[in-house]
mmCIF file of all heavy atoms in Angstrom:
data_model
loop_
_atom_site.group_PDB
_atom_site.id
_atom_site.type_symbol
_atom_site.label_atom_id
_atom_site.label_comp_id
_atom_site.label_asym_id
_atom_site.label_seq_id
_atom_site.Cartn_x
_atom_site.Cartn_y
_atom_site.Cartn_z
ATOM 1 N N LEU W 109 78.454 -9.950 -92.904
ATOM 2 C CA LEU W 109 78.701 -8.944 -91.861
ATOM 3 C C LEU W 109 80.166 -8.543 -91.943
ATOM 4 O O LEU W 109 81.049 -9.411 -91.955
ATOM 5 C CB LEU W 109 78.404 -9.549 -90.482
ATOM 6 C CG LEU W 109 78.885 -8.765 -89.260
ATOM 7 C CD1 LEU W 109 78.078 -7.477 -89.084
ATOM 8 C CD2 LEU W 109 78.750 -9.619 -87.989
ATOM 9 N N LEU W 110 80.420 -7.235 -92.035
ATOM 10 C CA LEU W 110 81.808 -6.745 -92.085
ATOM 11 C C LEU W 110 82.084 -5.889 -90.863
ATOM 12 O O LEU W 110 81.283 -5.005 -90.526
ATOM 13 C CB LEU W 110 82.021 -5.920 -93.358
ATOM 14 C CG LEU W 110 81.854 -6.699 -94.661
ATOM 15 C CD1 LEU W 110 80.732 -6.132 -95.486
ATOM 16 C CD2 LEU W 110 83.134 -6.685 -95.450
ATOM 17 N N ARG W 111 83.201 -6.168 -90.221
ATOM 18 C CA ARG W 111 83.604 -5.373 -89.052
ATOM 19 C C ARG W 111 84.775 -4.503 -89.463
ATOM 20 O O ARG W 111 85.786 -5.002 -89.953
ATOM 21 C CB ARG W 111 84.034 -6.292 -87.911
ATOM 22 C CG ARG W 111 82.913 -7.163 -87.371
ATOM 23 C CD ARG W 111 83.481 -8.099 -86.296
ATOM 24 N NE ARG W 111 82.440 -8.650 -85.446
ATOM 25 C CZ ARG W 111 81.787 -9.772 -85.704
ATOM 26 N NH1 ARG W 111 82.055 -10.463 -86.784
ATOM 27 N NH2 ARG W 111 80.866 -10.209 -84.860
ATOM 28 N N ASP W 112 84.628 -3.180 -89.265
ATOM 29 C CA ASP W 112 85.688 -2.275 -89.682
ATOM 30 C C ASP W 112 85.702 -1.105 -88.699
ATOM 31 O O ASP W 112 84.830 -0.245 -88.757
ATOM 32 C CB ASP W 112 85.405 -1.798 -91.122
ATOM 33 C CG ASP W 112 86.561 -0.996 -91.690
ATOM 34 O OD1 ASP W 112 87.630 -0.966 -91.067
ATOM 35 O OD2 ASP W 112 86.377 -0.391 -92.769
ATOM 36 N N GLY W 113 86.686 -1.081 -87.781
ATOM 37 C CA GLY W 113 86.667 -0.064 -86.721
ATOM 38 C C GLY W 113 85.352 -0.168 -85.960
ATOM 39 O O GLY W 113 84.958 -1.247 -85.517
ATOM 40 N N ASP W 114 84.657 0.989 -85.844
ATOM 41 C CA ASP W 114 83.362 0.984 -85.155
ATOM 42 C C ASP W 114 82.224 0.534 -86.057
ATOM 43 O O ASP W 114 81.105 0.361 -85.606
ATOM 44 C CB ASP W 114 83.028 2.405 -84.667
ATOM 45 C CG ASP W 114 83.932 2.803 -83.525
ATOM 46 O OD1 ASP W 114 84.535 1.898 -82.912
ATOM 47 O OD2 ASP W 114 84.046 4.018 -83.251
ATOM 48 N N ARG W 115 82.499 0.416 -87.324
ATOM 49 C CA ARG W 115 81.434 0.073 -88.265
ATOM 50 C C ARG W 115 81.063 -1.391 -88.182
ATOM 51 O O ARG W 115 81.932 -2.251 -88.090
ATOM 52 C CB ARG W 115 81.878 0.323 -89.701
ATOM 53 C CG ARG W 115 81.892 1.761 -90.080
ATOM 54 C CD ARG W 115 82.179 1.841 -91.557
ATOM 55 N NE ARG W 115 82.120 3.224 -91.980
ATOM 56 C CZ ARG W 115 81.609 3.643 -93.127
ATOM 57 N NH1 ARG W 115 81.129 2.780 -93.990
ATOM 58 N NH2 ARG W 115 81.576 4.904 -93.419
ATOM 59 N N ARG W 116 79.761 -1.634 -88.260
ATOM 60 C CA ARG W 116 79.270 -2.994 -88.363
ATOM 61 C C ARG W 116 78.324 -3.001 -89.557
ATOM 62 O O ARG W 116 77.140 -2.708 -89.431
ATOM 63 C CB ARG W 116 78.523 -3.411 -87.080
ATOM 64 C CG ARG W 116 79.400 -3.437 -85.817
ATOM 65 C CD ARG W 116 80.435 -4.568 -85.872
ATOM 66 N NE ARG W 116 81.340 -4.546 -84.717
ATOM 67 C CZ ARG W 116 82.507 -3.902 -84.697
ATOM 68 N NH1 ARG W 116 82.921 -3.208 -85.738
ATOM 69 N NH2 ARG W 116 83.261 -3.956 -83.620
ATOM 70 N N SER W 117 78.895 -3.280 -90.728
ATOM 71 C CA SER W 117 78.127 -3.155 -91.969
ATOM 72 C C SER W 117 77.626 -4.514 -92.416
ATOM 73 O O SER W 117 78.302 -5.517 -92.214
ATOM 74 C CB SER W 117 79.006 -2.604 -93.090
ATOM 75 O OG SER W 117 79.646 -1.425 -92.669
ATOM 76 N N ILE W 118 76.457 -4.516 -93.029
ATOM 77 C CA ILE W 118 75.974 -5.775 -93.584
ATOM 78 C C ILE W 118 75.664 -5.612 -95.070
ATOM 79 O O ILE W 118 75.253 -4.547 -95.530
ATOM 80 C CB ILE W 118 74.721 -6.313 -92.842
ATOM 81 C CG1 ILE W 118 73.580 -5.295 -92.828
ATOM 82 C CG2 ILE W 118 75.095 -6.731 -91.439
ATOM 83 C CD1 ILE W 118 72.275 -5.864 -92.272
ATOM 84 N N CYS W 119 75.900 -6.691 -95.788
ATOM 85 C CA CYS W 119 75.652 -6.735 -97.223
ATOM 86 C C CYS W 119 74.551 -7.778 -97.431
ATOM 87 O O CYS W 119 74.687 -8.920 -96.999
ATOM 88 C CB CYS W 119 76.946 -7.142 -97.921
ATOM 89 S SG CYS W 119 76.741 -7.376 -99.687
ATOM 90 N N VAL W 120 73.462 -7.344 -98.063
ATOM 91 C CA VAL W 120 72.227 -8.135 -98.067
ATOM 92 C C VAL W 120 71.790 -8.427 -99.505
ATOM 93 O O VAL W 120 71.971 -7.601 -100.393
ATOM 94 C CB VAL W 120 71.145 -7.321 -97.298
ATOM 95 C CG1 VAL W 120 69.793 -7.975 -97.366
ATOM 96 C CG2 VAL W 120 71.570 -7.121 -95.845
ATOM 97 N N SER W 121 71.196 -9.605 -99.727
ATOM 98 C CA SER W 121 70.704 -9.991 -101.057
ATOM 99 C C SER W 121 69.268 -9.529 -101.275
ATOM 100 O O SER W 121 68.495 -9.392 -100.321
ATOM 101 C CB SER W 121 70.744 -11.516 -101.218
ATOM 102 O OG SER W 121 72.071 -11.980 -101.221
ATOM 103 N N SER W 122 68.925 -9.325 -102.553
ATOM 104 C CA SER W 122 67.565 -8.888 -102.892
ATOM 105 C C SER W 122 66.821 -9.889 -103.776
ATOM 106 O O SER W 122 65.602 -9.810 -103.911
ATOM 107 C CB SER W 122 67.614 -7.528 -103.609
ATOM 108 O OG SER W 122 68.449 -7.603 -104.754
ATOM 109 N N GLN W 123 67.546 -10.823 -104.386
ATOM 110 C CA GLN W 123 66.917 -11.821 -105.251
ATOM 111 C C GLN W 123 67.648 -13.156 -105.098
ATOM 112 O O GLN W 123 68.813 -13.177 -104.684
ATOM 113 C CB GLN W 123 67.030 -11.409 -106.728
ATOM 114 C CG GLN W 123 66.318 -10.111 -107.061
ATOM 115 C CD GLN W 123 66.417 -9.772 -108.549
ATOM 116 O OE1 GLN W 123 67.503 -9.744 -109.110
ATOM 117 N NE2 GLN W 123 65.273 -9.535 -109.175
#
Side-chain angles (χ1 to χ4, degrees):
L109 167 70
L110 297 119
R111 295 176 162 89
D112 188 10
D114 289 342
R115 284 187 177 219
R116 297 291 176 268
S117 308
I118 56 172
C119 175
V120 174
S121 293
S122 56
Q123 298 182 307

